[in-house]
Each structure stands twice: as C-alpha cells, then as structure tokens.
Amino acid sequence: MASFHRFNCIVILSIGFFSIVLVATSAYLESPTIGNLTRTAGFSENDFGWNQPQNFYHDALFQKNKKSYQFYSDVVVLGDSFSQDDLNNNWVNYFVEATGLTAQVLHFNQGGASRLLSSPLFLEKPPKLFVFQSVEASLYKRSSQKDCQFPQKTSHSELPTIQLDNNRHYSTYSVAREVNHFSLDLDQASHYLLKALSRTIGLNVSDTVALEVTRLGLFSSQVKNKLLIHENDFDKQYLEAEDLELMACNLLAIQKAVEKNGKTRFVLMIAPDKLSAYSKVLADQQYANFSLIPSLGKYSELSMLRLDSLIQDEVERGTVDIYLPNDTHWGSEGYRFAAEQLIDYLNSGAHRP
C-alpha cells in the first residue's frame, strides 16, 4: 500500500512539474510565431523575431492572377512566394510605384511559362517585360525539362529598350512585430520544448539549421550571431555539371520563346537562398560555395539579374534584415533593394549583350 501511494505521489509530482514547466515556457515565449523557420523548428521568436519595424503597403499595387494571361499589363511576373505570398510587403509593389508600370503576378503552382506564352492575349498584345522570378532552391525543378537543345544565340538589341523612371519615395507605412506575452499556447510551448531539448543532446529534429556568422548586426533579432536557414539550402551541392547545363539550356529556351515576338524583354530574377546571400559572413566557410547562380552567370546571353552578388555586397555593407532572421524570405529592405536593382539593371542595358 505504501509503495502504491509512493508511486501515485511520483506520478502526480511529475505531472505537476511538467505542467509548471509547460505553463512557464508558454508564458516566456513570444507569440505569434510568424517566421517559417521558427514556426516549424522550435526556435523562439524571443530569440529570432525581427525587432526593426518593417515597411508595408496598405494595398497591393499589382494584380495577383490565378488564371492565365487574360488582361494586359506592362509587366508579367511568373514567380513564387517572393512575388506573391505577402501582397503588402513585396518587391513588385516597390517596382510598380517607382516606375509607374502596371503588373500582374502568376504563380508557378498554376503552371509554367508555356501557359502564358500560349495565351491568345500574350500573342496579340504582349507585355513589355517578363520576369521569371524563382527562389534559388526551386530553380532546378522549374527548369529541368529533359532533351533540351541550346537555342541559337540571338541579339537582344532587336528588342525595344526599356528605360524606367526610378522614383524612390515610397508610400509605405511602418509596422512593428506583434508581440504577445502570457498567451498560454501550450501546443506551441510543448513543440518548442521538444525541439529545443533535442538540439541540446545533438539531435536536430527539424528542417531548420542554425549557423554561426562572423559579423554581428545583420539582423534585428536578439540573437545576432546565428543564421537560421532551411536545410534545403544544402541540396544544391549535389547538382552535377550536367544538371546545371540542363538548367541553363531550359532557361535560355524560355527566354528565346518570350522574346521571339520582338516586343517583350525577359529577365531571370533569382532570389538567392539565405545560405548563398550570407555566404561571405559564415564562420564555417565549407558552406560558402553551394550556390548554383554563378554557374548560370557563365552564359552571357542569359538575361539574369545577379541579385546574389548584389545582396552579398549589401550584407557586407551591414544592411539590417535584408532577410528576416526568423524566415527564409526578405524583409522590406530586401524587397525594396531587389526592385531597385531590377530597375537599375534594365536602365543600364546590361541585359543586352
């Protein structure tokens, strides 16, 4: 009887202790967990949430198109989450306001370039600019069609020149990160404890990896010496030379198909993975040369904005939150910077060999 009583006491005390830890952890954690790296990986917003206000637009300045090219716009963007997920914090808004052009964004999930190029309106009234925007990690799967033949080189000089106004006064407003304490989200607390305890014994049970950086002040988060990345950023190291060649072939074929009407300019705009963007400040330089973008830079006929090197330079200048510390996406500084670099690229004539 005494042993049974002792067992019950141990169980009750264990449950009580765990409950106290769970409630205390929940009270400690800031909510909501908004970063796609912190949300799934058990890293806390206390540590990695951004603390420098972000700039947003009240309303999107472009159309999010879920169909095909059915209405004219000066610019058509075939893109991913960097172009379409957050309509109010988005590079296309900055581009539209700075240039006065109209724009629409279509997502890769709704089809590739062929559905746009075959649209009757695209044939009848093509846009001035076609931006193929892809995050680096997904570029290969979006441009790996087999049996590709490199197209014959053509001169971009046959296309009309795009010269853009570049008004850099933006009608954005500043937003601080929402922080709630004592929300008592026990699911969030248990998720955090499971992942955090696993990391303390050397196990990473999430798809987020924390790497040391040598330069502080690049993020507005409390933790400043760590770079959170998605483990997919490592996958590019396994691509062979033939894979990279196939990717270049497909992208050049898409470019030629877009530009054959003699009216539409094509620009490849790759959003570098976070690992590529911050490669020069990684403490462990074995991860610094995984990017696939430089291999595409060898094809001079490919109209590609080299955002990777431009962002790396901006990182070295110390710009804060180009990428959000808790997320794989740009902060508002990154979105603005990308738009302005695209404008400068078009105005410079760099896309015309």
Side-chain angles (χ1 to χ4, degrees):
M1 187 69 178
S3 60
F4 181 73
H5 177 71
R6 189 180 304 112
F7 174 78
N8 284 342
C9 288
I10 292 173
V11 170
I12 292 170
L13 288 173
S14 299
I15 293 173
F17 175 76
F18 180 75
S19 300
I20 291 171
V21 170
L22 197 62
V23 171
T25 301
S26 182
Y28 161 76
L29 292 175
E30 296 173 356
S31 64
T33 306
I34 57 175
N36 63 4
L37 293 174
T38 49
R39 185 172 58 248
T40 60
F43 288 96
S44 72
E45 295 290 328
N46 306 57
D47 294 330
F48 291 98
W50 44 271
N51 295 312
Q52 176 173 284
Q54 297 291 306
N55 296 317
F56 286 78
Y57 280 83
H58 287 283
D59 298 296
L61 303 183
F62 63 94
Q63 294 291 321
K64 180 178 179 180
N65 189 349
K66 294 185 177 180
K67 300 180 181 178
S68 59
Y69 184 68
Q70 296 178 331
F71 58 90
Y72 174 81
S73 61
D74 300 317
V75 182
V76 170
V77 179
L78 179 61
D80 51 32
S81 59
F82 276 78
S83 295
Q84 203 180 73
D85 266 15
D86 191 338
L87 302 185
N88 303 99
N89 187 14
N90 189 297
W91 71 268
V92 187
N93 286 327
Y94 289 99
F95 185 85
V96 167
E97 185 169 19
T99 64
L101 299 178
T102 57
Q104 59 182 299
V105 177
L106 298 98
H107 201 285
F108 286 105
N109 291 345
Q110 294 149 353
S114 58
R115 75 185 174 107
L116 292 173
L117 301 179
S118 61
S119 298
L121 184 60
F122 194 97
L123 299 172
E124 178 186 345
K125 195 175 181 181
K128 297 176 182 177
L129 178 64
F130 183 107
V131 180
F132 187 102
Q133 179 276 306
S134 175
V135 66
E136 184 181 359
S138 300
L139 185 62
Y140 177 71
K141 71 178 181 181
R142 292 168 177 163
S143 54
S144 57
Q145 184 174 336
K146 306 298 182 183
D147 302 320
C148 179
Q149 299 294 321
F150 275 95
Q152 185 177 1
K153 293 183 179 180
T154 56
S155 173
H156 294 261
S157 61
E158 299 171 0
L159 291 165
T161 301
I162 296 179
Q163 285 292 319
L164 301 173
D165 292 330
N166 194 359
N167 167 34
R168 298 193 177 188
H169 300 284
Y170 304 112
S171 56
T172 56
Y173 66 101
S174 182
V175 176
R177 180 171 61 92
E178 180 184 353
V179 177
N180 295 321
H181 293 282
F182 307 109
S183 60
L184 294 186
D185 187 337
L186 299 184
D187 286 338
Q188 177 191 354
S190 59
H191 178 72
Y192 170 78
L193 286 171
L194 173 65
K195 299 296 177 68
L197 290 173
S198 298
R199 281 193 294 272
T200 62
I201 61 172
L203 295 176
N204 186 13
V205 292
S206 74
D207 53 12
T208 297
V209 179
L211 299 177
E212 293 274 351
V213 292
T214 58
R215 180 165 181 175
L216 305 182
L218 296 174
F219 299 106
S220 64
S221 52
Q222 290 296 320
V223 173
K224 300 184 182 300
N225 66 332
K226 299 281 188 181
L227 175 74
L228 292 188
I229 65 166
H230 195 283
E231 64 180 6
N232 286 350
D233 287 13
F234 296 124
D235 292 347
K236 300 180 294 296
Q237 65 180 305
Y238 304 114
L239 291 176
E240 304 289 345
E242 307 84 66
D243 299 320
L244 299 173
E245 186 177 78
L246 178 65
M247 182 171 57
C249 179
N250 276 277
L251 291 169
L252 284 166
I254 294 170
Q255 175 177 305
K256 185 171 183 178
V258 168
E259 294 187 337
K260 72 177 182 179
N261 58 29
K263 297 179 180 179
T264 305
R265 287 202 174 277
F266 172 95
V267 174
L268 173 62
M269 179 177 170
I270 305 171
D273 295 335
K274 218 170 173 182
L275 184 66
S276 299
Y278 291 89
S279 59
K280 293 184 179 180
V281 297
L282 292 174
D284 191 341
Q285 283 291 297
Q286 70 170 311
Y287 305 123
N289 298 307
F290 290 172
S291 179
L292 55 78
I293 303 175
S295 67
L296 293 176
K298 300 174 183 177
Y299 297 86
S300 59
E301 65 272 33
L302 182 62
S303 295
M304 178 175 64
L305 172 62
R306 286 298 302 269
L307 268 180
D308 59 323
S309 56
L310 291 166
I311 289 177
Q312 287 166 1
D313 290 344
E314 198 69 8
V315 167
E316 292 198 299
R317 292 187 190 100
T319 302
V320 180
D321 289 352
I322 298 177
Y323 287 71
L324 294 174
N326 59 354
D327 207 286
T328 58
H329 295 88
W330 293 322
S332 55
E333 281 296 298
Y335 285 116
R336 176 197 57 77
F337 181 78
E340 291 177 353
Q341 295 307 311
L342 177 58
I343 293 167
D344 290 347
Y345 176 77
L346 292 167
N347 284 344
S348 71
H351 55 303
R352 291 182 293 140

